[in-house]
Each structure stands twice: as C-alpha cells, then as structure tokens.
C-alpha cells in the first residue's frame, strides 16, 4: 500500500501529519462524527460553545471531566507510536485537532495542538492557565481571582491560538509529504491545512476508514484504520521492508 509512494517517502525530508479524532479511536476515545461518534448522542451546541458554558457550566464541566478521565485511562495505539517512531528518520511535525495528548504520550516532540488540550485549564477572565493535576471538589472550578475556570479547548465559534495556527500554516506550506489521518476535515480552519500543503506541491496521503471531502485531491488514500496503516509506513522508511 505505501509502496505506491515508497520512493517519495524515502526521499522526503519533512513529513507533516494532520490528525483528528480517528487516530485515537483505536485507543478507545470516541470520535465526534461517524457511526459511533459522540455527536449522535449529544448536541454540540449544548456542550462545546461558550454560550453553552455560561448557560450551564456544571453540565459542560461534567461532560469534559468524563472525557478527561476516559482520555487519562487510554494509551497511545500503534498509529500514534508509529508517528513517534518516524521522528528517528525524518523531520516530522504533527498538526493535531485532538485534545487528548496521546501524540505526546507516544513520544512525539513536534506536536501543535490546534484545538487546545483537555488536560489543561484556563481562567475565563484572567491569564491563569495550568495543567489539571487532581480532580475538582466542585464544578465549575474557580480561579484564584474568583472567576470560573474552563477547559483549555477551542469551542465552536472560537479562534485557534494564533501562535499555534501560524506555526501550523508554516509547517503545512513547507512539507514534502502531508499525511492526513483520521479526520473528517469538517472543522475550519484546520481543514485548510491540506490545501496549503497541496498548493506547495506536497505529496498528499490520506489514512481514513471512510472517504472525506478531500479524498479526491489525494495522491494516495488508504482506507484502513490508523493503527493498521501507520506501522507499515515506519517499516518502509526505516528499511525494514527491504
Ligand atoms: P471527526 O469526529 O469529525 O471525524 C473522525 C474521522 O476519523 C472520520 O473521518 C472517520 O471516518 C475517521 N476514523 C474513525 N475511526 C478511524 C480509525 N480507526 N482510523 C482512521 N480513521 C478513522 O474528528 P475530527 O475531524 O478530528 O473533528 C474535529 C474535532 O473533534 C476537533 O475539534 C477535535 O478536538 C474533536 N475531537 C477530539 C478527540 C480527541 O482528542 N481524541 C475526540 C473527539 C473529538
């Protein structure tokens, strides 16, 4: 399967991954969209917007706490580990929409969290930001300044952290190969990253169990799960398949 672009992979200096919820699905973390997606059970507008938060902060916090506990109990799967392993051979950058920290836990160094992290909190008013190290005695938790703390994630309608987005655009525009893994490419502006890479004539690869709106623009589309497909990529680049 990777053989179709084997030469390009071996020659590539910089490989950029764009990852989404699908790469963590095999770690037991549900995606948003798709057959088992969370949005089949929940209404995103009641849980993942700033309006929803101010309307019912306890409900939103309970949902994030349940997800955070699930994520902390999960482990990186062979898909995350393969990407981390690839760093031994190539200049690898990961532009992730995920908030679960599994790329970092797999050992990847160059991770750009476009949508923030479920493992950190920030104040709704002052500049306080920190890692969550223990549980909370009551929800919503309060900042030392007296205002509510919120999960440090990007909700619908909010801007991405500008420094992270700028770096992500730079990486996308300068890669030799872009590998888009487990994302529906339904969320803007992250879904523009493959466009920037394509404009720069990068080789485009998609790993997704289902087609996406950009499948037709890809040089190679692998209809396989991330944990199944990605270890083969490392074998090829490391020379194990020869
Ligand atoms: P999405 O839920 O919209 O789409 C998931 C995609 O992954 C689909 O295209 C699906 O076909 C594919 N997929 C499912 N299982 C797969 C597998 N095992 N291997 C390969 N592909 C698989 O996810 P998205 O595009 O990342 O949506 C963006 C939003 O979802 C982001 O805001 C992100 O923060 C949020 N999200 C993150 C997590 C996480 O951090 N793990 C989990 C759920 C949602």
């Amino acid at each position: 399967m990777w053989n179709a672009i084997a030469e390009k992979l071996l020659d590539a200096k910089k490989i950029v991954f764009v990852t989404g919820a699908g790469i963590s699905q095999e770690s037991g973390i549900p995606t948003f969209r798709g057959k088992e997606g969370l949005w089949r059970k929940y209404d995103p507008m009641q849980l993942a917007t700033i309006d929803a938060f101010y309307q019912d902060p306890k409900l939103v916090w309970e949902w994030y706490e349940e997800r955070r506990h699930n994520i902390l109990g999960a482990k990186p799967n062979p898909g995350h580990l393969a990407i981390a392993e690839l760093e031994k051979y190539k200049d690898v950058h990961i532009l992730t929409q995920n908030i679960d920290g599994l790329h970092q836990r797999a050992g990847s160094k160059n991770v750009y969290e476009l949508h923030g992290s479920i493992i950190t909190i920030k104040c709704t008013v002052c500049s306080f930001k920190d890692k969550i190290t223990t549980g909370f005695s009551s929800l919503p938790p309060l900042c030392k300044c007296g205002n509510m703390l919120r999960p440090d994630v990007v909700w619908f309608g909010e801007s991405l952290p500008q420094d992270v987005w700028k770096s992500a655009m730079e990486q996308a525009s300068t890669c030799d190969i872009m590998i888009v893994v487990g994302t529906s490419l339904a969320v803007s502006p992250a879904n523009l990253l493959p466009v920037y890479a394509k404009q720069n004539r990068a080789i485009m690869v998609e790993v997704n169990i289902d087609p996406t709106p950009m499948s037709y623009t890809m040089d190679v589309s692998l209809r396989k799960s991330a944990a199944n497909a990605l270890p083969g990529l490392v074998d090829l680049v490391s020379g194990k398949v020869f």
Side-chain angles (χ1 to χ4, degrees):
M1 49 168 181
W2 290 107
N3 298 349
I5 52 158
E7 238 173 78
K8 308 257 191 251
L9 276 168
L10 290 169
D11 287 350
K13 288 194 173 57
K14 186 191 280 191
I15 302 181
V16 166
F17 288 84
V18 174
T19 65
I23 193 169
S24 297
Q25 184 267 333
E26 287 157 293
S27 292
I29 302 170
T31 60
F32 275 176
R33 299 170 188 82
K35 287 180 212 99
E36 306 289 326
L38 287 171
W39 292 156
R40 299 232 166 184
K41 280 196 257 167
Y42 302 100
D43 175 358
M45 294 306 145
Q46 280 179 4
L47 294 164
T49 66
I50 191 72
D51 288 349
F53 180 70
Y54 280 114
Q55 213 164 344
D56 195 342
K58 190 164 185 284
L59 174 79
V60 171
W61 258 111
E62 280 168 353
W63 192 65
Y64 274 91
E65 276 300 89
E66 194 187 321
R67 290 180 66 207
R68 186 172 69 87
H69 286 297
N70 181 27
I71 282 168
L72 289 179
K75 289 197 178 75
N77 67 52
H80 300 103
L81 295 169
I83 296 177
E85 172 82 7
L86 197 63
E87 272 186 23
K88 289 186 191 158
Y89 308 98
K90 299 285 176 188
D91 182 19
V92 174
H93 298 260
I94 302 152
L95 319 180
T96 189
Q97 297 167 83
N98 292 345
I99 56 173
D100 58 28
L102 286 182
H103 284 301
Q104 293 93 323
R105 279 166 60 196
S108 287
K109 300 276 182 300
N110 302 319
V111 184
Y112 305 74
E113 292 181 312
L114 301 168
H115 293 166
S117 165
I118 202 166
I119 297 143
T120 51
I121 36 172
K122 62 182 182 184
C123 182
T124 47
V125 176
C126 77
S127 59
F128 175 80
K129 191 168 168 163
D130 205 359
K131 252 190 161 174
I132 306 175
T133 46
T134 54
F136 301 109
S137 51
S138 65
L139 295 175
L142 298 181
C143 182
K144 279 189 189 133
C145 77
N147 292 293
M148 279 193 290
L149 291 165
R150 56 166 281 182
D152 183 22
V153 297
V154 176
W155 282 326
F156 289 109
E158 294 186 322
S159 304
L160 272 54
Q162 284 310 293
D163 49 339
V164 179
W165 177 242
K166 192 166 168 269
S167 304
M169 284 195 297
E170 270 166 27
Q171 297 303 342
S173 309
T174 54
C175 63
D176 302 308
I177 300 193
M178 175 171 278
I179 305 180
V180 183
V181 188
T183 167
S184 60
L185 293 173
V187 179
S188 175
N191 59 4
L192 292 175
L193 294 168
V195 178
Y196 298 139
K198 183 108 187 134
Q199 279 170 352
N200 189 49
R201 303 212 174 113
I203 302 288
M204 303 298 295
V205 181
E206 179 176 70
V207 177
N208 198 309
I209 51 173
D210 287 322
T212 71
M214 285 201 68
S215 294
Y216 76 99
T217 67
M218 296 287 155
D219 295 292
V220 181
S221 284
L222 302 177
R223 292 279 157 261
K224 286 192 159 210
S225 82
N228 270 313
L230 293 173
L233 162 72
V234 182
D235 287 349
L236 186 111
V237 174
S238 65
K240 277 190 207 151
V241 290
F242 295 112

